[in-house]
Amino acid sequence: MKLLALLDGPWGRRLFVAGLLVAIAVTLFFRVRYVPSYNLNTGGYDQNVVYGVVRIMNGTPLYTDPEKAPFSIIQYGPVHMRLVATVCDLLGTDPADVQQVYVITRSVVLLLNLLACWVLFRVGRRLGLRASNAFGVAAFFFTGMAVFYYMRPDSTYILFFWLHVLAFIPVVQAERGKSTWSSMLPSVIFGVLAVFTKQTGVIAFLLAGGFFMIQRRWRDLMLYAALSMITGIAALGLLIMEGGLSNAYKNVVLGVMNDVSPEWLMAMVVSKYFLIGLPITVLGIAAGWKWLRGPASAIERYVALGAVVC
């Protein structure tokens, strides 16, 4: 008992933070060393991302018709590749210098990962965590990132997702019927950017819509849905810029559906990533279900819904 009391005291928290700082430093060291690496495909689909970036840099459409040869399939939304291509253009990078495109992509992604961790820290603080605990959550998130966060659009997507959550918390905490379109719009914009980065960004809107329904905030639900629809339609301009709506649909929607099969689902279920996160998933669902079924504050129910859905 004395040991537990000591660990929960000031010295225990300092030791905890110090350990996290060491873990962050080690992770950051290897991430920086990885930036100039000539390994072309650490996280899977890395070439696909770089190929899309180079296409944008060359001024060619990102999405082409996969039913007409020669063709390519880009299964992600355009935001991440457009962002990296813009940075490459600003730095005067030659599209033919593919290694330099890799280096810039990894550098941009590392900065995005660090920014996402800072946003996650802010989310923890807004949810009521003390600074050391919020820092711990952000540190575990950074040090536990899988390799597909090192180049792929997942890094940009997760940043926009956490920005969406941070912007949505004031809406959660507002009284029923007191939310305005101006208070909702930032979270809508970040959510739409997440969707147009990676399709799993729709989770942000599932959480928002589910929260409004659980809380029976029907007016807020309709207002949020209207804002989301308007913003989403406006964002379709990104797809028009990158090759047209028809080609984007064939790549981003049908291209992903082409991968889905019972064999693929079973492979994902038994994959090491799923098994590693299974205990946390089970605990999250158990805790979330308790808050969803019993008395809880609005913010607790939003967190609980996130634990169950995500």
Side-chain angles (χ1 to χ4, degrees), residues 7-25:
L7 291 176
D8 192 46
W11 282 105
R13 287 195 291 273
R14 290 171 187 170
L15 183 64
F16 173 70
V17 172
L20 292 176
L21 288 173
V22 171
I24 291 172

Side-chain angles (χ1 to χ4, degrees), residues 172 211 215 291 294-302:
V172 171
F211 168 77
Q215 294 295 100
W291 271 349
S297 65
I299 198 69
E300 288 172 340
R301 286 188 171 173
Y302 179 65

Side-chain angles (χ1 to χ4, degrees), residues 16-32 110 114 117 134-144:
F16 173 70
V17 172
L20 292 176
L21 288 173
V22 171
I24 291 172
V26 172
T27 303
L28 194 57
F29 172 78
F30 285 107
R31 288 290 300 272
V32 172
L110 178 56
L114 292 171
C117 292
F135 177 73
V137 171
F140 278 119
F141 178 73
F142 178 68
T143 57

Side-chain angles (χ1 to χ4, degrees), residues 15-303:
L15 183 64
F16 173 70
V17 172
L20 292 176
L21 288 173
V22 171
I24 291 172
V26 172
T27 303
L28 194 57
F29 172 78
F30 285 107
R31 288 290 300 272
V32 172
R33 288 287 302 272
Y34 169 69
V35 167
S37 169
Y38 281 85
N39 191 326
L40 300 179
N41 198 34
T42 304
Y45 303 105
D46 287 359
Q47 298 104 319
N48 192 16
V49 174
V50 171
Y51 175 73
V53 172
V54 171
R55 286 187 66 88
I56 294 175
M57 293 173 65
N58 281 325
T60 53
L62 179 62
Y63 303 113
T64 57
D65 190 345
E67 297 178 353
K68 297 178 181 179
F71 65 89
S72 59
I73 296 179
I74 304 293
Q75 294 179 309
Y76 296 110
V79 173
H80 177 75
M81 285 169 277
R82 171 58 67 176
L83 172 64
V84 175
T86 301
V87 174
C88 288
D89 288 338
L90 291 174
L91 295 176
T93 307
D94 184 353
D97 189 354
V98 178
Q99 173 60 15
Q100 187 62 20
V101 175
Y102 267 92
V103 170
I104 293 174
T105 303
R106 290 167 180 159
S107 301
V108 169
V109 165
L110 178 56
L111 293 175
L112 293 176
N113 291 160
L114 292 171
L115 182 56
C117 292
W118 178 81
V119 174
L120 181 56
F121 171 80
R122 296 302 308 159
V123 168
R125 294 292 287 157
R126 290 297 300 270
L127 293 178
L129 296 180
R130 62 189 181 192
S132 59
N133 291 343
F135 177 73
V137 171
F140 278 119
F141 178 73
F142 178 68
T143 57
M145 283 182 172
V147 292
F148 48 76
Y149 282 100
Y150 294 3
M151 277 199 63
R152 285 167 48 179
D154 302 75
S155 55
T156 306
Y157 151 71
I158 203 67
L159 171 60
F160 285 134
F161 178 81
W162 287 125
L163 284 170
H164 160 84
V165 172
L166 184 62
F168 191 69
I169 289 176
V171 179
V172 171
Q173 295 173 327
E175 296 181 16
R176 181 178 302 180
K178 297 294 185 180
S179 297
T180 61
W181 69 268
S182 58
S183 65
M184 294 181 174
L185 187 58
S187 67
V188 169
I189 292 174
F190 288 131
V192 169
L193 287 172
V195 173
F196 279 74
T197 302
K198 190 177 180 183
Q199 297 88 321
T200 47
V202 298
I203 293 175
F205 293 99
L206 291 177
L207 289 176
F211 168 77
F212 288 133
M213 287 189 284
I214 290 174
Q215 294 295 100
R216 301 183 183 277
R217 290 169 57 171
W218 307 116
R219 172 192 172 276
D220 292 340
L221 175 62
M222 290 187 290
L223 179 58
Y224 202 83
L227 284 173
S228 302
M229 187 177 300
I230 294 170
T231 307
I233 292 173
L236 290 177
L238 293 173
L239 302 182
I240 296 174
M241 287 173 47
E242 307 295 354
L245 294 179
S246 177
N247 288 342
Y249 175 77
K250 291 177 181 179
N251 282 258
V252 178
V253 179
L254 298 183
V256 173
M257 291 174 62
N258 189 48
D259 276 350
V260 177
S261 65
E263 293 79 11
W264 173 86
L265 181 61
M266 287 304 300
M268 287 299 295
V269 168
V270 299
S271 71
K272 60 180 180 180
Y273 300 115
F274 181 86
L275 294 177
I276 289 173
L278 184 60
I280 298 176
T281 302
V282 172
L283 290 174
I285 292 176
W289 189 252
K290 179 181 178 181
W291 271 349
L292 289 175
R293 292 290 298 259
S297 65
I299 198 69
E300 288 172 340
R301 286 188 171 173
Y302 179 65
V303 173

